[in-house]
Amino acid sequence: MNKNPYDPDAILISFHRRMVRSVAGKHSGKHNLGKKTPIHHNKARQSVIKKQTTPNYLTGSDNVPAGMTNVKQPGGSLTAAVGDGKTDDTSAIQAIVKHVAGSTNNKVFFPRGEYLVSSDITISGSVELHGTQSGIAVIKASIPYAIEIQNASPVKRVSLKYLYLDGILVVFDGQTKGPSSTGDITIESCVFFSSASPTASNGRKRQLVMMELGNSRVYKNVFLRDSGAYGVASRFRSTLSVWVIDNVCGLELSKLEWLSSKVEPVSHWRDQKQKLEFLKTRYNLKSDQGYFKSCLYDQCDRKMKIAENIFNGSPNTGRHRDHAMYLKGFDNMEVKSNYVRGWPANPSGGIKVRNGKNLWLARNYVDDTGILLYSHRKRKACLHDGLKNVIIYGNHLVQRTRPGRRESSLSYYEPHSVGKDENIKYSANVFEIVGFSNPTKYRCIWLTNGNPSQHHVYKDNVYHGTSTTVKLQARGGTPSYETRDIDQKIKDLYNYPVYKLDIPPY
C-alpha cells in the first residue's frame, strides 16, 4: 500500500529525520542534540575542579591565533584599538573590520581588555570577530543598548565568538531581501550583559535580533539582565533554518556551582563560571540577572530548532512578564529538551504557541509555569489559519503554586472560535503537582473552544510517579481520550530523558 504523501504525521517525522541527519553531518561531536545533557553528581570527579583565586581576565597578554588581525596591533596604516575602557575605540575597530571584511584574511582578534565604543560597528562583508578564550574581551557601549553591531547591507559568513557585549545590541537583518541574501551568521559563546542601567526606552530593546536571514546558528551564549535593564533577550523574524542551541537566559550569579557540573562540554562551562564570577565583581553586577520580559520571540520562521536551552527567568521582577518563548507563524519547528523556569505560574507564562504548523514540542522541563496553544484571528500575512500538525510529547510540567481559575499546566485557547485547527496531539506528558493534598484531582489539560475532534489526547498523559491518566477538561465541546496509542514512530524519535537540570532557585 502506498503511503499518503500528505499524511501530517509523515510530514513531521520526515522533517525531524532531515534535521537529525543535518546535525550529524555538520556538528558531529560538537553538540549533543536530541539527548539530555546530564548533571554529573560524581563527587570524585567534582573534586578535580579545584577552587582557585579568580584571575583578572581583563589584563595580561594573549597569544594571537595564526591568520587573525589583532585589533591592538593591526599593522600597516591601521590605527590600533587601546582596550583600556577609557579610550574611544570605535573608529579603530570600524576601520579594521572594514579593511578585512570580504578578504581571505577576514578574522579579527580581540585580546583581553575593555573596548569602549560610542557608535555602531557596521559589518559590510564576510568577517569573523573573535574574543580571547583565555581572558575576557569586553566591547562596551558608551550608552547601554543604544549602540549596535549590525550589518549595513546583506552579508554572509559572519561570526561573533567569545565576546562579552556590555550594553551592545547585535542585529542582523536581510532588509526585505529575504533569507537567501543574508545568512551563515554564527553567534557563539558570547555573554550579553549591561554594567550600567540603560534608559527606559533603550532597556526594552532586544539583545540579539535576526530577521530575514538563513542558515544561522546561535549557541552557547549567556544572556543577562538585571532590574535596571529589564527587557527581551532575542528576537527572530522571517528566518530560514536558524538553530538556537545550548544558550542560557537568566542566571543567579551568586549560585553558579551547577555550571561546573555540566558534562558536555565541561571545560567550556567551568571556564564560563569563573569568568561570570569575575564579571560580577569587576562591574559590581547584581546577583539576580534574570529580569527578562521574554527570552525568545519567534515570528514567521521556518525550519527552526530550539534545543537544550536554559530559560531561567527571575521570579522576583514584580513586572509584567510575557513568556519564556513566544512562537507564532512558524512552519517546521522543533522545540525540544529545553529547561523553563521562573515565569508566571499560569498556562501562558512558559511556552506560548500561536497560529503555526508542523511543530514538535518534546521533552522540555517546564517548572511552575505552562504551555499554551493559542489560535487567534489571522492578522499578519505570514500567520497560518490556526494550528496544524502539532505534537506535544514527553514534556515534564511541574506545578508548585495555584495558577488561577483554569488550574492547568497545558492549555489550548481559541477566543474567536475560528475552528481551523488540525491534528493536534498530546502524548506522554508528565504532570507533577507539588503542594496539593490530592494532586490527582488537579486539571492538567484544558481545551477552550476550537474543534475538540482535532485535539487528540492520549491516555499516557499521567500524573508524576503514577500511571493514572490526568484530568482533561474542555469548554465548547466534549473532550475524550484516544483509545489507541500514538504512533510508535513518534515514540522512537523522542526516546530519551526529559531535560531536567539541578539548578538552585534564585
Side-chain angles (χ1 to χ4, degrees), residues 123 148-156 170-179 181-183 185 208-214 216 235 237-239:
I123 295 173
E148 299 180 359
I149 295 177
Q150 61 175 1
N151 64 306
S153 58
V155 294
K156 288 190 175 182
V170 175
V171 180
F172 286 96
D173 185 356
Q175 302 171 350
T176 74
K177 296 185 179 180
S181 64
T182 296
I185 310 297
L208 172 64
V209 176
M210 287 186 167
M211 299 186 293
E212 299 200 31
L213 52 78
S216 297
R235 169 72 185 274
R237 191 185 74 191
S238 302
T239 66

Side-chain angles (χ1 to χ4, degrees), residues 256-268:
L256 296 178
E257 289 302 321
W258 65 273
L259 281 176
S260 299
S261 58
K262 280 179 70 77
V263 171
E264 185 180 331
V266 170
S267 60
H268 167 80

Side-chain angles (χ1 to χ4, degrees), residues 183-448:
D184 297 311
I185 310 297
T186 300
I187 312 296
E188 177 185 354
S189 299
C190 293
V191 175
F192 295 76
F193 74 105
S194 179
S195 62
S197 296
T199 63
S201 58
N202 287 341
R204 289 194 294 270
K205 294 179 180 178
R206 285 84 171 174
Q207 292 169 303
L208 172 64
V209 176
M210 287 186 167
M211 299 186 293
E212 299 200 31
L213 52 78
N215 193 35
S216 297
R217 305 292 179 259
V218 178
Y219 55 90
K220 297 181 184 176
N221 302 286
V222 176
F223 296 87
L224 305 175
R225 281 186 182 268
D226 66 17
S227 57
Y230 172 76
V232 176
S234 60
R235 169 72 185 274
F236 302 88
R237 191 185 74 191
S238 302
T239 66
L240 174 65
S241 189
V242 171
W243 292 1
V244 182
I245 299 167
D246 201 19
N247 301 281
V248 177
C249 177
L251 282 175
E252 167 58 74
L253 294 183
S254 63
K255 301 177 181 179
L256 296 178
E257 289 302 321
W258 65 273
L259 281 176
S260 299
S261 58
K262 280 179 70 77
V263 171
E264 185 180 331
V266 170
S267 60
H268 167 80
W269 288 104
R270 184 171 68 244
D271 292 344
Q272 193 69 282
K273 169 188 174 293
Q274 294 171 345
K275 291 177 180 179
L276 288 170
E277 290 172 338
F278 170 79
L279 279 187
K280 181 179 184 299
T281 302
R282 170 66 175 80
Y283 294 105
N284 195 27
L285 299 181
K286 297 176 182 178
S287 293
D288 189 340
Q289 292 287 333
Y291 273 69
F292 288 91
K293 183 178 181 181
S294 182
C295 278
L296 189 151
Y297 267 94
D298 149 74
Q299 180 175 314
C300 307
D301 296 291
R302 293 174 290 154
K303 295 184 179 180
M304 190 172 191
K305 180 188 286 289
I306 303 170
E308 294 193 10
N309 300 285
I310 297 171
F311 299 118
N312 187 36
S314 169
N316 306 316
T317 65
R319 300 189 184 186
H320 169 70
R321 310 295 296 282
D322 281 349
H323 329 277
M325 285 182 273
Y326 187 8
L327 317 172
K328 65 179 179 179
F330 51 83
D331 186 358
N332 282 347
M333 174 176 283
E334 191 167 22
V335 180
K336 67 177 185 179
S337 298
N338 297 284
Y339 177 95
V340 180
R341 186 186 67 180
W343 304 91
N346 58 54
S348 63
I351 303 173
K352 184 175 180 179
V353 177
R354 175 187 166 193
N355 291 68
K357 63 181 181 179
N358 302 325
L359 168 70
W360 297 85
L361 202 158
R363 296 300 186 187
N364 300 283
Y365 184 81
V366 182
D367 192 338
D368 207 23
T369 182
I371 297 173
L372 173 66
L373 308 183
Y374 184 67
S375 284
H376 203 280
R377 289 193 180 113
K378 183 177 179 180
R379 294 181 176 178
K380 295 183 181 294
C382 66
L383 296 184
H384 303 283
D385 288 324
L387 293 164
K388 182 178 181 180
N389 298 339
V390 174
I391 293 178
I392 313 297
Y393 185 85
N395 301 283
H396 189 133
L397 297 100
V398 182
Q399 198 67 61
R400 302 180 188 277
T401 55
R402 187 175 296 275
R405 62 184 180 86
R406 290 196 183 95
E407 294 186 358
S408 55
S409 301
L410 176 53
S411 302
Y412 165 82
Y413 182 53
E414 186 189 18
H416 302 292
S417 300
V418 177
K420 294 185 178 181
D421 297 324
E422 297 180 40
N423 192 41
I424 317 297
K425 296 185 176 182
Y426 312 81
S427 175
N429 299 289
V430 175
F431 297 81
E432 183 175 355
I433 317 301
V434 179
F436 289 79
S437 58
N438 193 350
T440 57
K441 289 186 176 181
Y442 181 91
R443 296 191 299 270
C444 294
I445 301 177
W446 176 286
L447 308 178
T448 304

Side-chain angles (χ1 to χ4, degrees), residues 15 31 75 86 118 121 132 165 254 375 399 410 426 441 498:
F15 167 69
H31 301 294
K86 299 177 182 179
S118 58
I121 302 297
T132 171
L165 303 169
S254 63
S375 284
Q399 198 67 61
L410 176 53
Y426 312 81
K441 289 186 176 181
V498 75

